[in-house]
Amino acid sequence: MNKIKRIAVICSGGDSQGMNTCIKTIVNVCTVHNIEVYAFNRGYQGLIENDIIKLNNEMVENIGHLGGCFIKVARSKEFLEQEGKQKAFNNIYKNEIDGVILIGGNGSFHGALEFVKVGIPIIGIPGTIDNDLYYTDRTLGFDTAVNNAVKAIDNIKQTMLANSRGIVIRVMGRDCGAIALNVAVACNAHALSVKEVPKTIDQIIDDLKVCMNNGVESPLVILNDYIEYSVEDVQKAMEKHLRIETRGSTLGYIQRGGSPSVEDRLLATQFGLTAVELLINGKTDLAVGVRNRNIISLSLIHIWRCRRTLGCR
């Protein structure tokens, strides 16, 4: 068993609900084991610039229920260059960090492979609302993002139904349709278009005609980020071909903000605890995840390339 004295936490890429819960857990667990915890603000960019702070229980006591990220996030172009990587690694050595816990998504995990190459112990925790990492059933923030979108759409549906209007909603998720699919099922959408199963506007109109012929008065269409045509394009087509007044909305960052759901808090707590325990036990270069409600860890080298296939969970 390796003696771990100092652990550093980095949050990279976009923020996701549950990151703060995870950070709090890491600090709490490390305190019990007399391990010092440091954080590099703003992900890899902060690591390059040595923007480091020491964390303690008092600092993180009241962050577990907050969205966003206490230690900030960023995407670093400089880390893509060899000079930037070397600066980052030098700061790990200079601050005598024994192990790194990285919270981020697919791109962040790719960056973690650079730590593996130079022998810096690192554990990855999946933090992305997109839920696009195949090896884990859930990533931090996904459940909250879906819930946020569902709540917003439920509210919109009430007023649209009162006016017998159609609805077109675009949700986040980049090139992964997981958010869109789960939202569509939860909100009883009548048409869905995502990267994995793209539909033309004509196909959407055909789907809606069937629904309206069966008594639907306020048809709902869900699109995800990847779809090239706009909300307005679908809205105009519905008004032209279905003769129904239609409103559209892009939900945007309302999905990324707000307090993490209970599921995301529980998952963040389990992920944080497991990551610390792995480092304490001399295990490294792993990504923590969950399958069938069991916490797992797999090799970072093998998991980062693969993206999730579409599925509603």
Side-chain angles (χ1 to χ4, degrees):
M1 182 182 299
N2 296 332
K3 177 59 177 175
I4 299 291
K5 296 180 180 179
R6 291 185 174 186
I7 286 177
V9 182
I10 302 171
C11 292
S12 176
D15 61 294
S16 63
Q17 302 94 331
M19 280 184 169
N20 286 329
T21 313
C22 199
I23 293 168
K24 181 181 187 299
T25 300
I26 291 168
V27 174
N28 291 163
V29 174
C30 283
T31 300
V32 172
H33 291 280
N34 295 314
I35 298 171
E36 294 180 347
V37 183
Y38 293 81
F40 287 96
N41 293 311
R42 299 176 292 113
Y44 291 135
Q45 191 60 39
L47 178 56
I48 291 171
E49 298 173 8
N50 200 32
D51 185 3
I52 188 172
I53 57 173
K54 185 176 182 180
L55 302 180
N56 57 50
N57 283 340
E58 184 178 359
M59 293 171 67
V60 302
E61 181 63 27
N62 199 38
I63 69 170
H65 67 290
L66 300 176
C69 182
F70 175 67
I71 60 174
K72 309 296 184 184
V73 293
R75 291 180 171 89
S76 175
K77 292 183 179 180
E78 194 174 351
F79 190 75
L80 299 175
E81 305 297 329
Q82 186 56 43
E83 183 179 352
K85 294 172 189 175
Q86 194 57 56
K87 287 180 181 178
F89 300 147
N90 288 343
N91 286 329
I92 293 291
Y93 303 138
K94 180 170 68 175
N95 290 288
E96 299 180 340
I97 301 299
D98 300 310
V100 175
I101 297 177
L102 167 75
I103 309 173
N106 194 62
S108 301
F109 277 20
H110 186 195
L113 296 181
E114 301 300 326
F115 291 74
V116 175
K117 291 177 183 177
V118 298
I120 296 175
I122 188 166
I123 302 293
I125 292 177
T128 168
I129 67 169
D130 300 333
N131 205 41
D132 59 350
L133 293 166
Y134 94 99
Y135 79 96
T136 178
D137 291 344
R138 281 285 188 269
T139 58
L140 293 183
F142 173 72
D143 184 68
T144 308
V146 170
N147 281 317
N148 285 348
V150 168
K151 290 176 184 177
I153 294 170
D154 283 347
N155 289 340
I156 294 171
K157 282 174 63 178
Q158 292 171 25
T159 182
M160 294 298 105
L161 185 59
N163 292 275
S164 297
R165 290 171 176 160
I167 320 163
V168 185
I169 302 290
R170 185 185 294 274
V171 298
M172 299 180 83
R174 301 205 295 180
D175 60 351
C176 176
I179 291 178
L181 174 61
N182 281 263
V183 168
V185 173
C187 293
N188 297 312
H190 304 99
L192 168 69
S193 186
V194 295
K195 176 187 177 182
E196 297 88 343
V197 190
K199 290 193 173 184
T200 65
I201 293 180
D202 287 342
Q203 289 174 319
I204 290 175
I205 296 300
D206 289 342
D207 288 344
L208 298 183
K209 283 180 179 177
V210 173
C211 296
M212 295 182 71
N213 287 338
N214 284 286
V216 172
E217 296 182 0
S218 186
L220 169 62
V221 179
I222 301 294
L223 313 174
N224 89 313
D225 280 341
Y226 180 84
I227 301 304
E228 293 183 357
Y229 48 79
S230 69
V231 168
E232 291 75 17
D233 291 335
V234 180
Q235 182 179 335
K236 290 177 180 177
M238 289 173 66
E239 291 179 340
K240 178 180 178 180
H241 298 288
L242 303 177
R243 304 296 182 186
I244 182 172
E245 188 177 359
T246 304
R247 296 290 184 269
S249 179
T250 298
L251 294 186
Y253 284 93
I254 192 173
Q255 296 156 88
R256 197 183 284 279
S259 297
S261 65
V262 171
E263 180 170 341
D264 275 329
R265 296 187 199 193
L266 294 176
L267 199 59
T269 301
Q270 292 174 297
F271 283 170
L273 173 62
T274 302
V276 175
E277 288 181 339
L278 287 171
L279 286 175
I280 289 175
N281 289 302
K283 298 179 180 179
T284 184
D285 306 342
L286 300 170
V288 177
V290 59
R291 282 187 183 169
N292 299 319
R293 297 192 177 276
N294 295 313
I295 303 301
I296 61 168
S297 59
L298 297 173
S299 167
L300 275 168
I301 296 174
H302 295 136
I303 64 94
W304 80 268
R305 293 179 183 274
C306 301
R307 311 298 286 277
R308 173 177 301 289
T309 54
L310 189 62
C312 185
R313 296 177 178 272

